[in-house]
């Protein structure tokens, strides 16, 4: 497998597209408080010059964060957004040389998209999931695994 290395660039502004008072900004601040490090959106550049943005990264470029902060009524398409962001986090964690942690921060509404196998797959792949309750970020609690004996 050929590994691509991404370069973390300086953002044009500290908060990029996240306006003051936006749910995304509040989510990053809350998660930064929980993790003990500031998190800001940053563009990343591939070797061919194309760019991708990570919605949150710490100053040491060890923690990568994607946000799913949808509000209102739940839509089944949100599950696709969750899985797409999980896929992006896996790729970014492998492509940013200093990255150690991949974190998905979701709103309480989006917890519904993590039912069944989705949250278990994230845990097994090393993606941390946290839930933003409107003021703080807390780790998602997975139901305990039943002991399954294999023949």
């Amino acid at each position: 497998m050929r590994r691509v290395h991404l370069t973390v660039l300086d953002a044009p502004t500290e908060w990029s597209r996240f306006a003051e008072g936006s749910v995304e900004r509040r989510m990053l601040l809350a998660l930064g408080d929980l993790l003990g490090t500031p998190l800001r959106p940053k563009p990343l550049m591939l070797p061919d010059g194309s760019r991708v943005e990570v919605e949150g990264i710490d100053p040491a470029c060890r923690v990568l964060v994607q946000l799913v902060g949808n509000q209102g009524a739940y839509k089944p398409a949100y599950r696709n957004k969750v899985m797409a962001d999980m896929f992006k986090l896996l790729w970014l964690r492998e492509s940013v040389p200093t990255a150690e942690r991949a974190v998905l921060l979701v709103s309480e509404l989006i917890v519904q998209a993590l039912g069944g196998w989705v949250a278990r797959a994230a845990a097994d792949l090393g993606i941390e999931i946290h839930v933003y309750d409107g003021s703080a970020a807390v780790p998602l609690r997975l139901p305990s695994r039943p002991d399954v004996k294999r023949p």
Side-chain angles (χ1 to χ4, degrees):
M1 178 173 80
R2 196 181 100 213
R3 185 176 276 180
V4 174
H5 288 283
L6 297 171
T7 304
V8 179
L9 304 174
D10 288 328
T13 64
E14 178 184 13
W15 286 101
S16 185
R17 67 184 194 275
F18 300 147
E20 187 170 343
S22 68
V23 68
E24 294 88 357
R25 196 179 222 182
R26 293 191 320 266
M27 289 173 80
L28 280 178
L29 289 169
L31 184 61
D33 288 347
L34 178 70
L35 301 180
T37 187
L39 300 163
R40 300 293 185 269
K42 293 264 185 178
L44 308 171
M45 188 168 58
L46 283 85
D48 69 2
S50 58
R51 294 176 183 230
V52 61
E53 185 173 72
V54 65
E55 293 173 337
I57 192 167
D58 68 311
C61 301
R62 291 191 174 105
V63 180
L64 303 166
V65 179
Q66 284 296 117
L67 308 170
V68 186
N70 298 82
Q71 308 288 306
Y74 180 78
K75 297 177 184 170
Y78 295 161
R79 186 174 175 138
N80 293 338
K81 167 81 168 118
V82 164
M83 289 189 285
D85 279 350
M86 287 172 36
F87 180 71
K88 183 178 180 182
L89 282 168
L90 290 173
W91 176 62
L92 291 174
R93 189 178 61 198
E94 292 300 313
S95 301
V96 175
T98 54
E100 298 171 358
R101 296 172 75 180
V103 181
L104 182 66
L105 180 59
V106 301
S107 63
E108 289 182 314
L109 174 73
I110 301 303
V111 172
Q112 296 174 69
L114 297 165
W117 61 271
V118 178
R120 179 63 59 201
D124 289 351
L125 292 168
I127 298 172
E128 302 169 38
I129 300 178
H130 296 273
V131 180
Y132 177 67
D133 68 6
S135 60
V138 296
L140 177 69
R141 303 283 179 224
L142 288 176
S144 62
R145 267 189 186 168
D147 288 333
V148 177
K149 298 196 189 256
R150 296 181 186 219

